[in-house]
Amino acid sequence: MDNGDIENAEEEFPGRIGARKYRPVVANDRAVLQMSSIDPGSSSSSADHQASRQKIKVGKQANMGADSNGGSLPVHEQANGPSGESKLELFGFDSLVNILGLKSMTGEQIPAPSSPRDGDDVSITLGWPKPADPKFGTLMGVFVPCLQNILGIIYYIRFSWIVGMAGIGESLLLVSFCGLCTFLTGISLSAIATNGAMKGGGPYYLIGRALGPEVGVSIGLCFFLGNAIAGALYVLGAVETFLKAVPAAGIFRETVTNVNVTTFERVESPSPHDLQVYGIVVTIVLCFIVFGGVKMINRVAPAFLIPVLFSLFCIFIGVFLTRKDHPAVGITGLSLDTFKDNWSPGYQNTNEAGVPDPEGTVYWNFNALVGLFFPAVTGIMAGSNRSASLKDTQRSIPIGTLSATLTTTVMYLVSVFLFGALATRKKLLADRLLTATIAWPFPVIVYVGIILSTLGAALQSLTGAPRLLAAIANDDILPILNYFKVADGNEPYIATLFTAFICIGCVVIGNLDLITPTITMFFLLCYCGVNLSCFLLDLLDAPSWRPRWKFHHWSLSLLGASLCIVIMFLISWAFTIVSLALASLIYYYVSLKGKAGDWGDGFKSAYFQLALRSLRSLGANQVHPKNWYPIPLVFCRPWGKLPENVPCHPKLADFANCMKKKGRGMSIFFSILDGDYHECAEDAKTACKQLATYLDYKRCEGVAEIVVAPSMSEGFRGIVQTMGLGNLKPNIVVMRYPEIWRRENLTEIPATFVGIINDCIVANKAVVIVKGLDEWPNEYQRQYGSIDLYWIVRDGGLMLLLSQLLLTKESFESCKIQVFCIAEEDTDAEALKADVKKFLYDLRMQAEVIVITMKSWDSQAEGGSQPDDSMEAFTGAQQRVATYLAEMKAVAEKNGTPLMADGKPVVVNEQQVEKFLYTTLKLNSTILRYSRMAAVVLVSLPPPPVNHPAYFYMEYMDLLVENVQRLLMVRGYRRDVVTLFT
């Protein structure tokens, strides 16, 4: 093909998305090469490329016939061995023995490798596996971490105060309300965690795989922040308790003193500077422990947990041993009268330290207590955060998480009754460390328990948060998190340092009451995500949804999600809005900057079921014109060659976008690959990926399809019959006009072109043929002038609708529409013009109407006013038609057969052929006279005449489009696409 072909046409398109400069597409264009999914220089077939990637590495222990040089053999050779030795060669797959990595049918089994992702290299190592780090069971892997996180400072120094403020009745409601929320979340967590293998990342992994990467990353990062900030909360609680127990340890020797107006007792608090200094030191020490890895943490965990459990035992013993004659004022022992007095709530004002004060700035109610108490029930994700270190996640997470939740909830409920019957309301509100006061035998046991419980919870937070961040980074969704990636089995040291930095920053703030609502919101956001994930998966009930945990239902998950949202707004609507805004910002950032991650999430399943339901609701009947959308079937295969690795003419995507209003609608881009399906199937898949990538590059929302067929005609005939579903079948076939067919002597094009048009007519598809596609403007090239419609036949309003869609694009918004109508007589002109104007007015379309009569055509021809170039084209067409007809007659006389063209008999009426040529000449002359400077011209497409050779039809079309720069030939189908009615 010479330089006049399409690849050397004056075609320009952006080198990058959003650019303002344009340059032609060339074969070595970097942007084009990047769009290709294969190496442009590779000459090997896709099958060879696939086989070269999938190798099995054979160890020395497995004598499978590998060569002595250790070279890799293809999968089929190594899996089945020589063809004469394999008994399962008939099935065409690797034998089950080798796929599972077994040494022999009777020998010792080697654990099966995990399933690779699509596109990953398959590497199966035969022989003894590499020893892995020890995994943990339900007790040490889930139950103990959850228990350490849940049993925190709130119980020791805030719980008795909550009972005194809310009363026994509302305290029971408070504990039940918060406990129900976490218990329902635990059920949802158990269901999702038992629905398949679970990697590291805990709730992030579950939410991301259920609701998609954007939601997973946004909630996962918020949960990471919540865990990191929670570590600061626990550290501050431990330091505050230590300084209260040992006031002499204070460095700055200053205390903050408040007076309890109710009892006139002095309540002293440690210096904030002491909290900051000790908190930073403790955080650093905990970081060193975390750096030792999960193994070290599990060794240290009993040292933290056992004293905590012993302190709880001492508190309960102290409750039963306390008598009325206890020297402390206000402690009555377990008394029914005290129980009755403390049943009702006693909400009142306090100062910022929680000391009752009628003039205090803080008024406590049930909503405020929810925010204060809820952190005492959080921590249920501590086990799932370490999912990568568990032996059996599907067994350990449900049992360990729900057991820890029920254990702590029951303990809280029992403690409400005991504290409510033990001391007067004044004592409950005045003594923040009532648990230490009543502990048997010494209060110091509770102090030790508080410090170790909070340090244990802080240790679990500093362990789970870095692993959560590393799991998000390893999914490679956000490039900014690449610094926190870790290899499998390694410790996330950088993520741990970053978590410690956040924790130290919050410790410097030193205000528990400011930190607590922030943690609560992030935890509730994560719990809501877990419940919504289970709700969506349970409601959709996809075939892949088969959790081993059977005690779940979508209504329970929905109730859990609703409780999370209610609690968030009960605590603080301001904090709720801030946390949701932060998650939304992260979501928006991930959607813009993040990489695509298709994890088969629940939203994809929801979209699928919604699409099926919508498709069924559309029915099989035709869509009403008010709801009609163009669904173009864009034929990408050109009448010639394109630059290498460009699967579609660049301007076809631009034109397809012009057929959509504000991007609404669907386009199907297809091409036909000549050959045998079995031989070309892999090539078709590769070409389809290339085409889909190119459409994304051109920002054209469409579906790519590649069909293998023996010929273009057969392939198109199959596509036009089968493409689409129901009323989502394509209704317009769009293709380029074959302008090069005569120049390149492509003699097969006329028959193919006419066959495609006839197939569209039979299949009741509209047709839009674009002439001058190389000059079609892109979105940045603004056009001026007019859009001229030569409305010759009734087409259901398709031509009018296309002109209106063009006006909605920036390229053509400065143009105006002119409608040219053809009248038989001059007397019909005015009436036709009035009717067309009224019709356009009713259609809400603004256009100038111009009526041209047949008499004016004839007068132009008689007066010799035809353009010279049109007459020259007309004369050339006459000569070529006469020559072709003479050759047909000569062949027929020689063979003694009737006139044959394109392998079938034809009947040629020479007068009719002359008439058709003359009609197209008049129409071309009129277009050149009125619309030579138009931005684009639309004209009705004449159908191929019956029994005329395809060559003659191409001559008619060539004469029609001669010297018209940009032309759309439109043929509607047997239905209206516009309506006058509202």
Side-chain angles (χ1 to χ4, degrees), residues 193-474:
T194 58
N195 191 50
M198 182 178 172
K199 295 184 179 180
Y204 155 73
Y205 183 86
L206 301 178
I207 296 173
R209 269 57 180 181
L211 300 182
E214 294 86 358
V215 179
V217 172
S218 58
I219 294 181
L221 287 178
C222 289
F223 189 59
F224 159 74
L225 290 176
N227 276 280
I229 299 173
L233 170 68
Y234 300 136
V235 168
L236 286 175
V239 173
E240 181 179 346
T241 305
F242 171 73
L243 292 176
K244 284 184 177 180
V246 188
I251 300 174
F252 295 91
R253 302 294 182 181
E254 60 179 77
T255 57
V256 179
T257 304
N258 298 282
V259 178
N260 189 330
V261 178
T262 306
T263 61
F264 296 99
E265 295 182 4
R266 296 173 61 86
V267 181
E268 296 184 350
S269 300
S271 168
H273 301 298
D274 286 335
L275 292 176
Q276 294 167 351
V277 172
Y278 278 100
I280 293 173
V281 173
V282 170
T283 304
I284 294 174
V285 172
L286 292 177
C287 275
F288 278 107
I289 299 176
V290 173
F291 266 87
V294 178
K295 189 188 304 184
M296 175 67 70
I297 294 168
N298 279 278
R299 289 176 180 174
V300 176
F304 286 95
L305 183 62
I306 293 175
V308 172
L309 297 179
F310 182 70
S311 67
L312 292 175
F313 174 76
C314 293
I315 291 173
F316 284 107
I317 293 297
V319 168
F320 290 100
L321 294 181
T322 301
R323 296 289 184 265
K324 292 184 180 181
D325 56 353
H326 195 280
V329 179
I331 297 180
T332 63
L334 295 178
S335 169
L336 183 61
D337 293 335
T338 306
F339 182 88
K340 293 179 180 178
D341 293 338
N342 292 333
W343 176 262
S344 58
Y347 298 120
Q348 55 188 291
N349 292 75
T350 67
N351 56 25
E352 293 182 356
V355 177
D357 186 354
E359 298 180 358
T361 58
V362 181
Y363 179 76
W364 292 91
N365 53 22
F366 185 81
N367 296 355
L369 290 181
V370 170
L372 179 63
F373 174 72
F374 193 82
V377 297
T378 59
I380 61 174
M381 300 293 181
S384 61
N385 284 344
R386 301 160 56 179
S387 54
S389 303
L390 299 177
K391 291 180 182 178
D392 187 357
T393 57
Q394 299 191 31
R395 180 180 183 274
S396 298
I397 289 180
I399 296 176
T401 303
L402 293 176
S403 299
T405 303
L406 289 175
T407 300
T408 53
T409 301
V410 170
M411 189 195 74
Y412 287 146
L413 291 174
V414 171
S415 298
V416 170
F417 287 104
L418 296 180
F419 289 152
L422 182 67
T424 63
R425 190 184 303 274
K426 291 182 180 181
K427 184 63 177 178
L428 293 173
L429 294 176
D431 193 350
R432 300 287 288 273
L433 281 171
L434 181 64
T435 52
T437 303
I438 64 173
W440 175 89
F442 308 109
V444 69
I445 295 177
V446 173
Y447 287 115
V448 174
I450 295 174
I451 295 173
L452 292 181
S453 70
T454 50
L455 289 180
L459 190 64
Q460 297 298 334
S461 295
L462 293 176
T463 303
R467 282 159 177 76
L468 177 59
L469 183 60
I472 299 174
N474 284 342

Side-chain angles (χ1 to χ4, degrees), residues 628-634 652-667 731-734 767-768 770 776 798 801-802 805-806 808-809 968:
W628 188 87
Y629 283 88
I631 305 178
L633 183 64
V634 184
L652 268 178
D654 294 330
F655 178 74
N657 282 331
C658 290
M659 301 182 70
K660 300 176 183 177
K661 185 176 182 181
K662 298 181 180 179
R664 298 187 182 98
M666 180 180 68
S667 301
N731 45 35
I732 303 176
V733 175
V734 178
V767 183
V768 177
V770 187
W776 191 265
L798 179 59
L801 187 61
L802 287 178
L805 292 176
L806 288 177
T808 62
K809 303 301 175 183
L968 302 180

Side-chain angles (χ1 to χ4, degrees), residues 642-959:
L642 283 172
E644 186 180 2
N645 294 325
V646 180
C648 174
H649 193 291
K651 293 302 181 67
L652 268 178
D654 294 330
F655 178 74
N657 282 331
C658 290
M659 301 182 70
K660 300 176 183 177
K661 185 176 182 181
K662 298 181 180 179
R664 298 187 182 98
M666 180 180 68
S667 301
I668 302 176
F669 291 78
F670 77 98
S671 187
I672 300 170
L673 194 62
D674 294 339
D676 181 75
Y677 176 70
H678 295 132
E679 297 176 357
C680 302
E682 292 300 323
D683 294 335
K685 293 178 182 178
T686 302
C688 189
K689 291 180 180 179
Q690 287 181 312
L691 182 55
T693 304
Y694 188 76
L695 295 179
D696 291 338
Y697 166 77
K698 294 291 292 183
R699 292 188 295 179
C700 182
E701 294 185 1
V703 179
E705 294 289 346
I706 302 294
V707 175
V708 180
S711 65
M712 184 189 297
S713 299
E714 293 186 27
F716 183 85
R717 192 168 293 122
I719 286 174
V720 81
Q721 293 181 76
T722 60
M723 188 66 70
L725 293 171
N727 273 323
L728 290 183
K729 289 182 177 291
N731 45 35
I732 303 176
V733 175
V734 178
M735 60 181 173
R736 184 191 185 195
Y737 182 73
E739 303 170 45
I740 63 171
W741 73 278
R742 184 182 296 110
R743 183 173 70 244
E744 300 299 331
N745 196 25
L746 301 176
T747 56
E748 75 279 359
I749 285 183
T752 304
F753 182 73
V754 172
I756 288 176
I757 295 178
N758 285 327
D759 290 342
C760 293
I761 294 174
V762 172
N764 195 25
K765 307 290 185 185
V767 183
V768 177
I769 300 175
V770 187
K771 190 265 180 181
L773 188 63
D774 295 336
E775 289 78 30
W776 191 265
N778 56 36
E779 57 181 323
Y780 302 114
Q781 295 172 325
R782 187 174 293 273
Q783 302 296 304
Y784 300 93
S786 61
I787 299 175
D788 293 351
L789 282 65
Y790 287 83
W791 197 12
I792 301 174
V793 298
R794 182 178 182 274
D795 61 353
L798 179 59
M799 193 183 299
L800 294 171
L801 187 61
L802 287 178
S803 65
Q804 293 296 318
L805 292 176
L806 288 177
L807 285 182
T808 62
K809 303 301 175 183
E810 293 183 6
S811 303
F812 295 97
E813 64 181 3
S814 300
C815 299
K816 65 176 182 178
I817 296 178
Q818 295 184 144
V819 178
F820 293 85
C821 303
I822 309 300
E824 295 287 343
E825 301 291 341
D826 291 342
T827 55
D828 300 334
E830 293 301 324
L832 178 60
K833 185 174 183 178
D835 290 343
V836 173
K837 279 188 173 181
K838 178 66 168 57
F839 181 68
L840 294 176
Y841 177 81
D842 292 339
L843 288 177
R844 293 87 63 202
M845 297 181 180
Q846 293 184 354
E848 181 182 354
V849 180
I850 301 172
V851 178
I852 301 174
T853 62
M854 298 294 289
K855 179 179 273 189
S856 65
W857 278 11
D858 296 333
S859 63
Q860 290 178 20
E862 294 172 359
S865 60
Q866 301 286 356
D868 294 337
D869 43 10
S870 294
M871 288 303 302
E872 182 180 350
F874 176 72
T875 304
Q878 281 183 316
Q879 295 175 353
R880 289 188 296 272
V881 167
T883 302
Y884 189 84
L885 183 57
E887 292 176 355
M888 289 173 55
K889 291 180 178 179
V891 172
E893 291 178 1
K894 179 180 178 181
N895 298 331
T897 59
L899 289 178
M900 301 287 291
D902 307 319
K904 57 184 179 181
V906 294
V907 179
V908 178
N909 186 333
E910 297 185 25
Q911 293 182 348
Q912 191 178 38
V913 172
E914 190 73 17
K915 180 180 178 181
F916 284 166
L917 286 173
Y918 184 66
T919 302
T920 53
L921 167 66
K922 292 190 293 184
L923 184 54
N924 175 261
S925 301
T926 304
I927 293 174
L928 293 179
R929 179 181 179 185
Y930 293 101
S931 306
R932 188 181 289 270
M933 302 303 294
V936 62
V937 176
L938 287 80
V939 64
S940 299
L941 173 70
V946 181
N947 294 328
H948 279 225
Y951 181 89
F952 288 4
Y953 183 73
M954 290 302 300
E955 289 290 352
Y956 307 152
M957 293 295 97
D958 274 1
L959 185 55

